[in-house]
């Protein structure tokens, strides 16, 4: 892998890594990889084509051929286009998140998405957000973070995000769903959710976005000179 600077931010669902990663990418004017979006897109494409999420071979082939574009916008999240159709909101539903963690179990899917994720590493640098960015996709990253927070705190944050986007949400259901998703993400055999040995771990339960961002940035000074 090249010397191109890469900063990875991993952690469980709803921990705030998306927000922190995007803030960091914008602050540095670097590229941004939302790897979860690729798993969400794979699951959405499978559902739309009537392919069972458990069918590892068919879903793996689908992941390899995914016709997807990310179109940056001035503020906020990039527009996501699948098969020439905008799916920005469709991949953000609670169901799409659960579906993503089901297809993410298949080694065929993870292998198909590996190079696609590495291709995001372009000058001047990349901030990569996910579950296995520091362990599998960018093991040579110059700086690795692993964010954590209690399931309850994460469910409350996700609830707020969904409501703000005008989507349906149920707090008790979200806590349960987050716990189940954690369980699946941590216990799968291919690239399970875990901190890289050289990751800096930050518990965000009691911290606001600004505080976490400041902490992350302080740890990146020597990487981004
Ligand atoms: O970050 P997210 O909520 O968009 O991710 C959705 C699911 O995708 C997550 O539950 C597991 C899977 N995922 C993964 O296995 N590896 C990644 N690098 C990113 C996401």
């Amino acid at each position: 892998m090249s010397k191109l600077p890469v900063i990875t931010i991993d952690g469980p669902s709803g921990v705030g890594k998306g927000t922190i990663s995007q803030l960091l990418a914008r602050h540095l004017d670097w590229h941004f990889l939302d790897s979860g979006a690729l798993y969400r897109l794979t699951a959405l494409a499978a559902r739309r084509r009537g392919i069972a999420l458990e069918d590892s071979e068919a879903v793996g082939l689908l992941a390899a051929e995914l016709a997807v574009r990310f179109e940056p916008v001035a503020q906020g999240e990039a527009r996501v286009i699948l098969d020439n159709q905008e799916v920005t909101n469709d991949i953000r539903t609670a169901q799409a998140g659960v579906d993503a963690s089901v297809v993410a179990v298949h080694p065929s899917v993870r292998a198909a998405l590996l190079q696609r994720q590495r291709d995001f590493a372009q000058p001047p640098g990349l901030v990569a957000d996910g579950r296995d960015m520091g362990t599998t996709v960018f093991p040579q990253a110059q700086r690795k973070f692993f964010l954590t927070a209690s399931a309850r705190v994460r469910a409350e944050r996700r609830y707020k995000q969904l409501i703000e986007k005008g989507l349906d949400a149920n707090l008790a259901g979200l806590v349960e769903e987050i716990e189940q998703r954690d369980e699946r993400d941590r216990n799968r055999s291919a690239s399970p959710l875990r901190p890289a040995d050289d990751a800096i771990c930050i518990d965000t339960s009691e911290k606001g976005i600004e505080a976490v961002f400041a902490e992350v940035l302080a740890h990146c000074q020597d990487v981004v000179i």
Side-chain angles (χ1 to χ4, degrees):
M1 214 171 282
S2 71
K3 291 225 183 74
L4 188 108
V6 176
I7 297 172
T8 60
I9 305 191
D10 288 306
S13 169
V15 79
K17 28 179 193 48
T19 308
I20 297 292
S21 310
Q22 283 184 63
L23 278 174
L24 188 61
R26 262 176 217 277
H27 179 83
L28 301 174
D29 212 7
W30 284 10
H31 295 278
F32 169 59
L33 165 61
D34 172 5
S35 61
L38 294 173
Y39 290 92
R40 288 169 181 264
L41 281 158
T42 302
L44 184 70
R47 278 215 184 263
R48 290 194 170 173
R49 291 178 197 199
I51 296 171
L53 303 183
E54 292 73 24
D55 185 340
S56 62
E57 197 181 331
V59 183
L61 287 172
L62 193 60
E65 287 165 5
L66 220 51
V68 53
R69 289 198 316 277
F70 292 90
E71 293 181 351
V73 292
Q75 286 295 323
E77 283 179 29
R79 290 178 71 223
V80 187
I81 316 290
L82 174 67
D83 293 328
N84 290 320
Q85 218 190 332
E86 175 157 13
V87 294
T88 316
N89 288 333
D90 306 68
I91 61 163
R92 293 293 156 210
T93 63
Q95 186 61 52
V98 173
D99 288 354
S101 99
V102 174
V103 300
V105 166
H106 305 312
S108 57
V109 170
R110 308 202 71 84
L113 295 180
L114 188 60
Q115 192 56 45
R116 202 185 274 262
Q117 294 173 82
R118 288 184 174 157
D119 289 344
F120 278 77
Q122 297 290 335
L126 175 71
V127 178
D129 156 358
R131 302 288 186 292
D132 62 341
M133 297 297 99
T135 51
T136 305
V137 182
F138 301 107
Q140 339 248 343
Q142 281 77 356
R143 193 63 81 246
K144 301 176 183 178
F145 295 93
F146 193 86
L147 307 187
T148 58
S150 70
R152 176 81 200 180
V153 166
R154 288 184 282 135
E156 283 169 3
R157 289 179 186 161
R158 184 55 55 103
Y159 178 82
K160 243 181 99 196
Q161 274 177 0
L162 291 169
I163 296 295
E164 276 165 11
K165 283 183 187 164
L167 297 167
D168 275 347
N170 166 290
L171 186 57
L174 281 173
V175 175
E176 199 181 318
E177 192 183 287
I178 278 190
E179 283 170 347
Q180 280 173 7
R181 182 125 65 102
D182 280 2
E183 170 94 7
R184 192 157 44 229
D185 291 350
R186 286 198 179 107
N187 294 321
R188 66 175 175 232
S189 56
S191 288
L193 170 68
R194 68 166 181 83
D197 293 339
D198 50 350
I200 296 164
C201 293
I202 302 176
D203 185 339
T204 74
S205 302
E206 309 284 323
K207 293 175 186 162
I209 293 291
E210 288 82 18
V212 178
F213 181 59
E215 199 171 333
V216 164
L217 201 55
H219 282 293
C220 292
Q221 292 311 326
D222 55 325
V223 178
V224 300
I225 25 140

